[in-house]
Amino acid sequence: MKGMKTVMAKPLHPSVEQFKQFVKKHPKLIQEVRSGKKTWKQVYEDWYLFGEDDDIWEPYRDAGGKEKREEKGASKWLDKLAAMLGQLDAAEVQKHLASVQQALAAIQGILSEFQGASPQRPNKEEHPFSFRQD
């Protein structure tokens, strides 16, 4: 019994505490788990992977704090975008843009050939080889 007291007195990991607070804000999750539609492990993994503000939690939210969450979601989205832009390597972006440009040029060439407007294609009357008569 003494071993049980030390285990119970041990503080929970901070992420577990945050998850507990999240579940308290989303009581419909408790109903999902109790009805057997989800397990606590699935809910925790989704929470850990997607975060609190993801759209997957929309069915479990109450309608009262929706506006606040939308503002918070918009600022989170901007924060994510800023972080993503901060991680971009300009040289890598330039390489990708160059390859996209080449692909678009190739597609344009193919389309112009199908449309018959390609200046590189000889006319039917002209022969591709020019021979002179002496």
Side-chain angles (χ1 to χ4, degrees):
M1 287 285 178
K2 288 185 179 181
M4 293 278 285
K5 286 183 181 178
T6 58
V7 172
M8 295 179 91
K10 184 178 176 182
L12 295 173
H13 191 273
S15 67
V16 175
E17 285 293 333
Q18 291 171 349
F19 178 69
K20 285 176 70 175
Q21 295 301 317
F22 172 74
V23 170
K24 286 179 184 177
K25 294 178 194 172
H26 300 81
K28 293 179 184 176
L29 283 171
I30 298 170
Q31 295 169 356
E32 285 280 311
V33 173
R34 288 183 179 162
S35 68
K37 294 178 183 174
K38 289 186 178 244
T39 65
W40 283 118
K41 181 180 178 189
Q42 291 170 328
V43 174
Y44 180 79
E45 288 173 351
D46 289 345
W47 172 81
Y48 188 79
L49 290 173
F50 298 114
E52 288 187 23
D53 299 320
D54 198 85
D55 290 337
I56 65 166
W57 306 118
E58 194 61 41
Y60 308 106
R61 291 189 177 130
D62 57 346
K66 188 174 182 178
E67 294 83 19
K68 183 179 176 183
R69 278 189 296 277
E70 285 177 359
E71 289 175 11
K72 191 176 179 183
S75 67
K76 270 229 177 217
W77 181 81
L78 289 174
D79 291 342
K80 286 181 183 180
L81 181 63
M84 212 169 63
L85 289 174
Q87 293 175 352
L88 288 179
D89 181 19
E92 284 293 315
V93 171
Q94 187 65 31
K95 281 198 291 189
H96 290 297
L97 287 176
S99 66
V100 168
Q101 186 178 9
Q102 288 174 348
L104 287 175
I107 291 170
Q108 279 180 323
I110 291 170
L111 289 176
S112 64
E113 281 186 32
F114 282 122
Q115 292 172 349
S118 176
Q120 298 152 342
R121 215 168 135 187
N123 291 338
K124 291 181 180 178
E125 297 87 29
E126 295 179 14
H127 198 277
F129 304 103
S130 62
F131 293 104
R132 287 193 231 164
Q133 288 184 344
D134 288 333

